[in-house]
Amino acid sequence: MRNFDEHNITNAAIDSVREARSPRIKEISESLIRHLHDFVRDIEPTQAEWKHAIDFLTRAGQMCSATRQEFILLSDTLGVSMLVDAINHRLPSGATETTVLGPFHVAHAPEVANGAMISRAEEGPPLLIAGSVRNLQGMPIADAVVDIWHADDAGFYDVQKDETALSSRARVRTDAGGNFHVFGVVPAAYPIPNDGPVGNMLESQGRHPYRPAHVHFIVAAPGHVTLVTHLFLQDSEYLDSDVVFGTKDSLIEALNVAPAELAARGPKPQESMAMLQRNFVLADALDPRKPQRQLI
Ligand code: BEZ
Ligand code: FE
Protein backbone atom coordinates (compact mmCIF):
# COMPACT_ATOMS: atom_id res chain seq x y z
CA MET A 1 0.00 0.00 0.00
CA ARG A 2 1.64 3.19 -1.20
CA ASN A 3 1.33 6.09 -3.67
CA PHE A 4 -1.89 7.44 -2.17
CA ASP A 5 -3.54 10.48 -3.69
CA GLU A 6 -6.89 12.19 -3.30
CA HIS A 7 -8.47 9.66 -5.65
CA ASN A 8 -7.42 6.38 -4.00
CA ILE A 9 -6.86 7.24 -0.31
CA THR A 10 -10.52 6.74 0.71
CA ASN A 11 -10.75 3.18 -0.59
CA ALA A 12 -7.36 2.36 0.93
CA ALA A 13 -8.46 3.65 4.34
CA ILE A 14 -11.75 1.71 4.11
CA ASP A 15 -9.87 -1.43 3.08
CA SER A 16 -7.59 -1.11 6.12
CA VAL A 17 -10.45 -2.09 8.48
CA ARG A 18 -11.45 -5.28 6.64
CA GLU A 19 -10.32 -7.43 9.59
CA ALA A 20 -12.11 -5.42 12.24
CA ARG A 21 -12.97 -7.29 15.44
CA SER A 22 -16.70 -7.42 14.68
CA PRO A 23 -19.01 -6.72 11.71
CA ARG A 24 -20.43 -3.74 13.60
CA ILE A 25 -17.00 -2.16 14.19
CA LYS A 26 -16.24 -2.71 10.48
CA GLU A 27 -19.52 -1.09 9.41
CA ILE A 28 -19.02 1.92 11.70
CA SER A 29 -15.34 2.37 10.75
CA GLU A 30 -16.04 2.20 7.01
CA SER A 31 -18.88 4.69 7.26
CA LEU A 32 -16.84 7.04 9.45
CA ILE A 33 -13.96 7.05 6.96
CA ARG A 34 -16.27 7.52 3.97
CA HIS A 35 -18.20 10.42 5.53
CA LEU A 36 -15.11 12.09 6.97
CA HIS A 37 -13.32 11.97 3.64
CA ASP A 38 -16.42 13.33 1.88
CA PHE A 39 -16.56 16.15 4.44
CA VAL A 40 -12.94 17.05 3.74
CA ARG A 41 -13.51 16.92 -0.04
CA ASP A 42 -16.57 19.13 0.44
CA ILE A 43 -14.89 21.89 2.47
CA GLU A 44 -11.31 21.55 1.12
CA PRO A 45 -9.73 22.89 4.33
CA THR A 46 -6.45 24.74 4.33
CA GLN A 47 -3.82 23.16 6.56
CA ALA A 48 -4.32 26.07 9.01
CA GLU A 49 -8.06 25.37 9.14
CA TRP A 50 -7.43 21.66 9.78
CA LYS A 51 -5.03 22.54 12.60
CA HIS A 52 -7.72 24.85 14.01
CA ALA A 53 -10.17 21.92 13.96
CA ILE A 54 -7.68 19.67 15.79
CA ASP A 55 -6.99 22.44 18.34
CA PHE A 56 -10.76 22.82 18.87
CA LEU A 57 -11.15 19.12 19.67
CA THR A 58 -8.06 19.21 21.89
CA ARG A 59 -9.51 22.13 23.88
CA ALA A 60 -12.85 20.29 24.14
CA GLY A 61 -11.05 17.30 25.66
CA GLN A 62 -9.06 19.48 28.04
CA MET A 63 -12.29 21.14 29.21
CA CYS A 64 -13.78 17.83 30.36
CA SER A 65 -13.82 16.93 34.05
CA ALA A 66 -16.01 15.00 36.49
CA THR A 67 -18.56 17.86 36.29
CA ARG A 68 -18.08 19.13 32.73
CA GLN A 69 -18.57 17.16 29.51
CA GLU A 70 -17.72 19.37 26.54
CA PHE A 71 -18.24 16.56 24.00
CA ILE A 72 -21.85 16.04 25.14
CA LEU A 73 -22.38 19.78 24.67
CA LEU A 74 -20.84 19.53 21.20
CA SER A 75 -23.10 16.61 20.29
CA ASP A 76 -26.12 18.45 21.73
CA THR A 77 -25.49 21.76 19.95
CA LEU A 78 -24.88 20.11 16.57
CA GLY A 79 -28.23 18.28 16.82
CA VAL A 80 -26.54 14.88 17.06
CA SER A 81 -27.85 13.99 20.53
CA MET A 82 -31.44 14.57 19.39
CA LEU A 83 -30.83 12.55 16.22
CA VAL A 84 -29.48 9.59 18.23
CA ASP A 85 -32.42 9.99 20.61
CA ALA A 86 -34.94 9.97 17.75
CA ILE A 87 -33.40 6.88 16.11
CA ASN A 88 -33.52 5.02 19.41
CA HIS A 89 -37.05 6.03 20.42
CA ARG A 90 -39.39 5.23 17.56
CA LEU A 91 -42.13 4.75 20.12
CA PRO A 92 -45.75 3.78 19.47
CA SER A 93 -48.18 6.65 19.20
CA GLY A 94 -49.58 7.62 22.57
CA ALA A 95 -46.28 7.11 24.42
CA THR A 96 -44.79 10.29 25.89
CA GLU A 97 -42.07 11.67 23.60
CA THR A 98 -38.41 11.72 24.60
CA THR A 99 -35.78 14.44 24.53
CA VAL A 100 -32.10 14.90 25.48
CA LEU A 101 -30.72 13.80 28.85
CA GLY A 102 -28.28 16.71 29.16
CA PRO A 103 -25.19 16.82 31.37
CA PHE A 104 -26.81 17.72 34.71
CA HIS A 105 -28.38 14.40 35.64
CA VAL A 106 -27.00 12.92 38.87
CA ALA A 107 -27.39 9.16 39.30
CA HIS A 108 -28.87 8.06 42.63
CA ALA A 109 -30.48 11.38 43.57
CA PRO A 110 -32.13 11.11 47.00
CA GLU A 111 -35.37 9.11 47.05
CA VAL A 112 -38.13 11.16 48.69
CA ALA A 113 -41.73 10.56 49.69
CA ASN A 114 -44.61 12.03 47.74
CA GLY A 115 -45.24 15.60 48.91
CA ALA A 116 -41.56 16.31 49.69
CA MET A 117 -39.99 19.73 49.08
CA ILE A 118 -37.01 19.07 46.79
CA SER A 119 -35.70 22.65 46.41
CA ARG A 120 -34.38 25.18 48.90
CA ALA A 121 -36.96 27.92 49.48
CA GLU A 122 -34.54 30.67 48.37
CA GLU A 123 -34.18 29.05 44.93
CA GLY A 124 -37.41 30.54 43.58
CA PRO A 125 -41.21 30.61 43.72
CA PRO A 126 -42.58 27.18 44.71
CA LEU A 127 -43.83 24.85 42.01
CA LEU A 128 -45.98 21.77 42.50
CA ILE A 129 -44.69 19.11 40.09
CA ALA A 130 -47.38 16.47 39.85
CA GLY A 131 -48.63 13.76 37.57
CA SER A 132 -49.16 10.12 36.93
CA VAL A 133 -47.49 7.26 35.10
CA ARG A 134 -49.61 5.03 32.89
CA ASN A 135 -49.18 2.39 30.22
CA LEU A 136 -50.43 2.65 26.64
CA GLN A 137 -53.77 1.15 27.69
CA GLY A 138 -54.23 3.95 30.26
CA MET A 139 -53.64 1.69 33.26
CA PRO A 140 -51.82 3.36 36.18
CA ILE A 141 -48.33 2.04 36.93
CA ALA A 142 -47.65 1.83 40.66
CA ASP A 143 -44.12 2.04 42.09
CA ALA A 144 -42.64 3.63 38.94
CA VAL A 145 -39.52 5.65 39.77
CA VAL A 146 -39.78 9.29 38.66
CA ASP A 147 -36.38 11.00 38.68
CA ILE A 148 -36.83 14.78 38.57
CA TRP A 149 -34.26 17.58 38.25
CA HIS A 150 -34.43 21.23 37.28
CA ALA A 151 -32.63 24.57 37.38
CA ASP A 152 -33.45 27.32 39.91
CA ASP A 153 -35.12 30.64 39.10
CA ALA A 154 -31.75 32.08 38.10
CA GLY A 155 -31.15 29.24 35.63
CA PHE A 156 -28.54 27.28 37.60
CA TYR A 157 -28.47 23.59 38.58
CA ASP A 158 -27.24 22.65 42.05
CA VAL A 159 -24.11 21.03 40.57
CA GLN A 160 -23.15 24.34 38.95
CA LYS A 161 -23.21 26.17 42.29
CA ASP A 162 -20.67 26.14 45.10
CA GLU A 163 -22.89 24.06 47.36
CA THR A 164 -22.29 20.63 48.73
CA ALA A 165 -25.94 19.56 49.14
CA LEU A 166 -28.02 18.48 46.14
CA SER A 167 -31.16 20.50 45.47
CA SER A 168 -34.00 20.62 42.95
CA ARG A 169 -33.52 16.95 42.23
CA ALA A 170 -35.00 13.78 43.70
CA ARG A 171 -36.51 10.42 42.88
CA VAL A 172 -40.10 9.75 43.92
CA ARG A 173 -42.21 6.61 43.46
CA THR A 174 -45.75 6.56 42.13
CA ASP A 175 -48.44 5.48 44.60
CA ALA A 176 -50.98 2.68 44.07
CA GLY A 177 -52.95 4.93 41.70
CA GLY A 178 -49.83 5.69 39.62
CA ASN A 179 -49.65 9.28 40.95
CA PHE A 180 -46.73 11.35 42.25
CA HIS A 181 -46.12 14.91 43.44
CA VAL A 182 -43.24 16.93 44.86
CA PHE A 183 -42.60 20.63 45.47
CA GLY A 184 -39.76 22.27 43.52
CA VAL A 185 -39.33 25.83 42.29
CA VAL A 186 -40.22 27.49 38.98
CA PRO A 187 -37.08 27.09 36.83
CA ALA A 188 -35.76 29.78 34.50
CA ALA A 189 -34.44 29.48 30.95
CA TYR A 190 -30.65 29.26 31.02
CA PRO A 191 -27.55 29.25 28.83
CA ILE A 192 -25.74 25.94 28.52
CA PRO A 193 -22.13 26.16 29.80
CA ASN A 194 -20.58 28.45 27.17
CA ASP A 195 -17.19 29.39 28.61
CA GLY A 196 -15.37 26.74 26.56
CA PRO A 197 -14.83 25.76 22.92
CA VAL A 198 -18.52 24.93 22.35
CA GLY A 199 -19.41 28.46 23.54
CA ASN A 200 -16.83 29.86 21.09
CA MET A 201 -18.33 27.72 18.34
CA LEU A 202 -21.86 29.00 19.05
CA GLU A 203 -20.64 32.59 19.00
CA SER A 204 -18.84 32.17 15.71
CA GLN A 205 -21.92 30.44 14.24
CA GLY A 206 -24.06 33.44 15.27
CA ARG A 207 -26.11 31.42 17.80
CA HIS A 208 -27.28 32.11 21.36
CA PRO A 209 -26.57 29.47 24.06
CA TYR A 210 -30.04 29.33 25.69
CA ARG A 211 -32.49 26.55 26.49
CA PRO A 212 -36.15 27.25 27.30
CA ALA A 213 -37.24 26.75 30.94
CA HIS A 214 -37.90 23.07 31.62
CA VAL A 215 -38.03 20.28 34.19
CA HIS A 216 -36.24 17.00 33.47
CA PHE A 217 -37.74 13.55 34.09
CA ILE A 218 -36.56 9.96 33.83
CA VAL A 219 -39.50 7.63 34.39
CA ALA A 220 -38.70 3.94 34.89
CA ALA A 221 -40.91 0.93 35.59
CA PRO A 222 -40.21 -2.78 35.08
CA GLY A 223 -41.58 -4.11 31.76
CA HIS A 224 -41.61 -0.63 30.18
CA VAL A 225 -39.24 1.46 28.09
CA THR A 226 -37.52 3.96 30.37
CA LEU A 227 -38.59 7.47 29.42
CA VAL A 228 -36.02 10.33 29.36
CA THR A 229 -37.82 13.59 28.76
CA HIS A 230 -38.54 17.17 29.90
CA LEU A 231 -41.59 19.33 30.31
CA PHE A 232 -41.09 22.81 28.85
CA LEU A 233 -42.86 25.81 30.38
CA GLN A 234 -45.26 27.28 27.85
CA ASP A 235 -44.44 30.91 28.62
CA SER A 236 -40.69 30.47 28.35
CA GLU A 237 -38.45 32.26 25.90
CA TYR A 238 -36.39 30.17 23.44
CA LEU A 239 -39.02 27.46 22.78
CA ASP A 240 -38.39 28.00 19.08
CA SER A 241 -34.61 28.29 19.27
CA ASP A 242 -33.51 25.75 21.90
CA VAL A 243 -29.74 25.56 21.40
CA VAL A 244 -29.84 21.74 21.69
CA PHE A 245 -32.92 21.23 19.45
CA GLY A 246 -34.73 19.48 22.32
CA THR A 247 -38.16 21.19 22.28
CA LYS A 248 -41.24 19.24 21.12
CA ASP A 249 -44.80 20.60 21.01
CA SER A 250 -46.11 17.57 22.90
CA LEU A 251 -43.79 18.35 25.86
CA ILE A 252 -44.88 21.97 26.39
CA GLU A 253 -47.11 22.56 29.41
CA ALA A 254 -48.79 25.67 30.81
CA LEU A 255 -48.35 26.34 34.52
CA ASN A 256 -51.71 26.07 36.27
CA VAL A 257 -52.74 27.03 39.79
CA ALA A 258 -52.13 24.17 42.23
CA PRO A 259 -55.26 22.80 43.99
CA ALA A 260 -55.60 24.58 47.35
CA GLU A 261 -55.44 21.37 49.41
CA LEU A 262 -52.07 20.41 47.86
CA ALA A 263 -50.65 23.97 47.91
CA ALA A 264 -51.53 24.09 51.63
CA ARG A 265 -49.09 21.23 52.22
CA GLY A 266 -46.29 23.06 50.37
CA PRO A 267 -43.59 25.41 51.65
CA LYS A 268 -45.76 28.58 51.56
CA PRO A 269 -49.22 27.33 52.59
CA GLN A 270 -50.89 30.76 52.54
CA GLU A 271 -49.95 31.63 48.98
CA SER A 272 -51.31 30.36 45.69
CA MET A 273 -48.83 28.11 43.94
CA ALA A 274 -48.00 27.24 40.34
CA MET A 275 -48.42 23.64 39.21
CA LEU A 276 -46.74 21.70 36.41
CA GLN A 277 -48.80 18.60 35.74
CA ARG A 278 -48.41 15.72 33.29
CA ASN A 279 -49.63 12.17 32.84
CA PHE A 280 -46.65 10.26 31.46
CA VAL A 281 -47.32 7.28 29.21
CA LEU A 282 -44.70 4.52 28.98
CA ALA A 283 -44.34 2.12 26.04
CA ASP A 284 -44.07 -1.61 26.72
CA ALA A 285 -40.50 -2.92 26.86
CA LEU A 286 -39.24 -4.79 23.81
CA ASP A 287 -39.67 -8.54 23.88
CA PRO A 288 -36.37 -9.78 25.41
CA ARG A 289 -36.56 -12.93 23.24
CA LYS A 290 -36.36 -10.91 20.00
CA PRO A 291 -32.81 -10.85 18.59
CA GLN A 292 -31.12 -7.46 19.12
CA ARG A 293 -28.37 -6.05 16.92
CA GLN A 294 -24.95 -7.24 18.01
CA LEU A 295 -23.25 -4.63 20.20
CA ILE A 296 -19.68 -3.48 19.72
C1 BEZ B 1 -30.00 20.39 30.10
O1 BEZ B 1 -31.16 20.54 29.81
O2 BEZ B 1 -29.75 20.21 31.29
C2 BEZ B 1 -28.95 20.47 29.06
C3 BEZ B 1 -29.10 19.76 27.89
C4 BEZ B 1 -28.11 19.84 26.93
C5 BEZ B 1 -27.00 20.63 27.13
C6 BEZ B 1 -26.86 21.35 28.30
C7 BEZ B 1 -27.85 21.29 29.28
FE1 FE C 1 -31.82 21.23 31.74
Side-chain angles (χ1 to χ4, degrees):
M1 290 213 296
R2 54 181 74 171
N3 301 324
F4 297 117
D5 58 25
E6 62 183 291
H7 304 292
N8 62 15
I9 184 96
T10 303
N11 282 342
I14 288 175
D15 191 51
S16 74
V17 302
R18 65 189 172 279
E19 286 172 21
R21 220 174 43 214
S22 78
R24 183 68 175 148
I25 292 178
K26 184 164 182 279
E27 179 189 10
I28 291 172
S29 303
E30 286 177 354
S31 180
L32 174 66
I33 293 165
R34 195 172 331 108
H35 286 280
L36 196 51
H37 284 220
D38 280 350
F39 170 64
V40 169
R41 282 197 183 85
D42 188 28
I43 64 168
E44 297 203 334
T46 63
Q47 302 234 255
E49 283 173 333
W50 198 244
K51 178 173 182 315
H52 187 78
I54 303 282
D55 288 347
F56 172 82
L57 292 174
T58 305
R59 278 181 285 121
Q62 288 164 343
M63 198 81 199
C64 292
S65 68
T67 54
R68 177 72 180 257
Q69 231 306 347
E70 199 70 2
F71 286 106
I72 294 184
L73 294 179
L74 185 58
S75 163
D76 292 341
T77 52
L78 292 178
V80 179
S81 301
M82 279 306 286
L83 178 58
V84 173
D85 182 67
I87 288 167
N88 282 277
H89 295 100
R90 296 177 179 128
L91 296 175
S93 101
T96 303
E97 289 197 279
T98 57
T99 190
V100 276
L101 175 68
F104 298 124
H105 178 248
V106 171
H108 314 299
E111 187 162 339
V112 300
N114 273 294
M117 177 74 191
I118 66 168
S119 303
R120 281 185 277 273
E122 67 274 16
E123 289 182 323
L127 174 68
L128 172 61
I129 303 170
S132 72
V133 181
R134 294 176 183 275
N135 67 13
L136 280 169
Q137 287 71 45
M139 299 298 291
I141 302 175
D143 217 30
V145 177
V146 184
D147 194 342
I148 302 171
W149 69 106
H150 61 75
D152 64 16
D153 72 342
F156 291 101
Y157 286 86
D158 51 359
V159 291
Q160 294 177 287
K161 300 189 271 190
D162 272 343
E163 287 157 1
T164 44
L166 297 176
S167 184
S168 293
R169 68 177 73 239
R171 288 175 297 155
V172 63
R173 283 177 191 269
T174 52
D175 62 19
N179 298 307
F180 69 91
H181 73 283
V182 293
F183 296 98
V185 295
V186 179
Y190 62 82
I192 65 166
N194 63 344
D195 56 345
V198 170
N200 297 340
M201 178 191 79
L202 293 174
E203 209 175 283
S204 56
Q205 290 173 337
R207 298 166 64 189
H208 72 68
Y210 282 87
R211 299 213 65 209
H214 58 272
V215 175
H216 292 259
F217 297 85
I218 298 179
V219 185
H224 297 84
V225 179
T226 296
L227 169 67
V228 178
T229 197
H230 317 345
L231 294 178
F232 295 92
L233 307 197
Q234 185 181 271
D235 292 336
S236 178
E237 254 186 283
Y238 311 112
L239 286 169
D240 285 311
S241 62
D242 182 356
V243 68
V244 303
F245 308 97
T247 312
K248 292 179 176 174
D249 282 341
S250 71
L251 300 177
I252 298 174
E253 287 287 2
L255 290 188
N256 293 309
V257 178
E261 73 276 12
L262 281 179
R265 290 190 230 142
K268 294 185 180 162
Q270 294 80 2
E271 295 175 22
S272 102
M273 188 189 297
M275 173 174 70
L276 178 66
Q277 205 270 343
R278 166 59 65 117
N279 299 323
F280 293 104
V281 179
L282 302 188
D284 298 337
L286 295 176
D287 184 342
R289 291 161 305 185
K290 272 199 193 152
Q292 303 289 307
R293 188 167 63 195
Q294 189 202 341
L295 298 177
I296 293 170

